[in-house]
Amino acid sequence: MEVSLEMIRELREKTGAGVMDAKRALEEANGDMEKAILILRERGIVKAAKKSTRVAKEGIIEAYIHTGSKLGVLLELNCETDFVARTDEFKNLAKDLCLQIAGMNPLYISKEDVPKEVLEREKNIYMTQLEKEGNKPSHVIEKIVNGRLEKFFEEVCLLEQPFVKNPEIKVKDLLTEAISKLGENIVIRRFVRYVVGEEE
């Protein structure tokens, strides 16, 4: 069976494989798309197809020192290519994120980074507070606890915080906007916020 360009394009979209790898897999599978995907998987050629899962190993380290030199932030922001890392948009995003960290003092990047024991501690605090406030049905308590947890995430998780320059959006919206504009996966890898005299 003849392998058309359309078939190669479709297989590449589904797997992220190169043109020749996709063509060979389709020829071997006699044009059967599912078999071709299986062949590529067996050979370890299938690559991430979605932006959000694409590897972001390039990027920059951005630094911010607040007036008076008592507070500083170091941030690693990653993207997929050195080309994007050198653009003004990417550098400005890194600067804005440093300002955000300096001003809002997040402890984690995302909700998933909050340790289990910290979550449990917060839940226990809210439960104790609600018990003191009087009898409430369990479904109401659960709703209130979840609401307070969301508030907690907004305070301590960088991606959940309102953006300091535009509180109408969250930092994760700012990141999504940049990914859409620059066409590459962008990842906040890590950050450190230093304050003179602050204990670790």
Side-chain angles (χ1 to χ4, degrees), residues 156-170:
V156 300
C157 299
L158 176 59
L159 292 175
E160 300 301 321
Q161 290 182 334
F163 178 37
V164 283
K165 285 186 170 178
N166 176 12
E168 297 292 310
I169 63 167
K170 290 187 175 185

Side-chain angles (χ1 to χ4, degrees), residues 8-24:
I8 294 171
R9 187 187 61 77
E10 187 184 341
L11 183 58
R12 291 191 69 210
E13 281 179 358
K14 285 182 175 173
T15 63
V19 175
M20 290 314 292
D21 288 326
K23 186 171 184 282
R24 276 193 285 267

Side-chain angles (χ1 to χ4, degrees), residues 99-108 155-157 161 191 193 195 198:
L99 277 178
Q100 178 79 27
I101 294 163
M104 301 301 286
N105 192 19
L107 302 175
Y108 313 99
E155 287 171 13
V156 300
C157 299
Q161 290 182 334
F191 67 83
R193 182 180 184 272
V195 177
E198 191 176 68

Side-chain angles (χ1 to χ4, degrees), residues 34-57:
E34 292 310 310
K35 271 188 190 171
I37 291 172
L38 198 63
I39 289 167
L40 288 172
R41 279 188 178 152
E42 284 169 357
R43 291 177 184 165
I45 293 172
V46 173
K47 298 170 187 171
K50 294 178 182 173
K51 274 182 200 161
S52 62
T53 57
R54 290 199 314 223
V55 178
K57 282 188 174 174

Side-chain angles (χ1 to χ4, degrees), residues 44-185:
I45 293 172
V46 173
K47 298 170 187 171
K50 294 178 182 173
K51 274 182 200 161
S52 62
T53 57
R54 290 199 314 223
V55 178
K57 282 188 174 174
E58 291 296 333
I60 56 172
I61 304 286
E62 182 64 36
Y64 169 78
I65 305 294
H66 193 63
T67 310
S69 302
K70 300 280 186 188
L71 188 157
V73 173
L74 269 180
L75 166 87
E76 181 180 348
L77 186 65
N78 293 149
C79 57
E80 296 174 44
T81 64
D82 190 46
F83 174 76
V84 163
R86 283 186 272 118
T87 61
D88 287 342
E89 287 95 338
F90 189 79
K91 289 176 185 169
N92 288 336
L93 175 65
K95 281 178 190 158
D96 282 343
L97 290 170
C98 281
L99 277 178
Q100 178 79 27
I101 294 163
M104 301 301 286
N105 192 19
L107 302 175
Y108 313 99
I109 294 173
S110 69
K111 287 180 187 180
E112 291 72 29
D113 297 326
V114 181
K116 223 174 187 175
E117 60 271 20
V118 173
L119 270 183
E120 285 306 314
R121 185 197 65 202
E122 288 302 311
K123 276 184 190 172
N124 288 336
I125 290 171
Y126 304 146
M127 294 295 280
T128 308
Q129 287 171 345
L130 289 168
E131 278 168 14
K132 285 181 183 171
E133 288 173 16
N135 288 335
K136 284 188 174 70
S138 59
H139 71 279
V140 174
I141 290 177
E142 194 183 334
K143 211 172 169 183
I144 295 172
V145 168
N146 286 339
R148 289 184 183 177
L149 270 181
E150 285 305 316
K151 202 81 190 142
F152 171 72
F153 290 138
E154 277 188 16
E155 287 171 13
V156 300
C157 299
L158 176 59
L159 292 175
E160 300 301 321
Q161 290 182 334
F163 178 37
V164 283
K165 285 186 170 178
N166 176 12
E168 297 292 310
I169 63 167
K170 290 187 175 185
V171 171
K172 64 182 176 186
D173 301 320
L174 180 73
L175 205 62
T176 305
E177 201 177 288
I179 290 169
S180 164
K181 202 179 284 180
L182 295 169
E184 285 196 5
N185 189 20

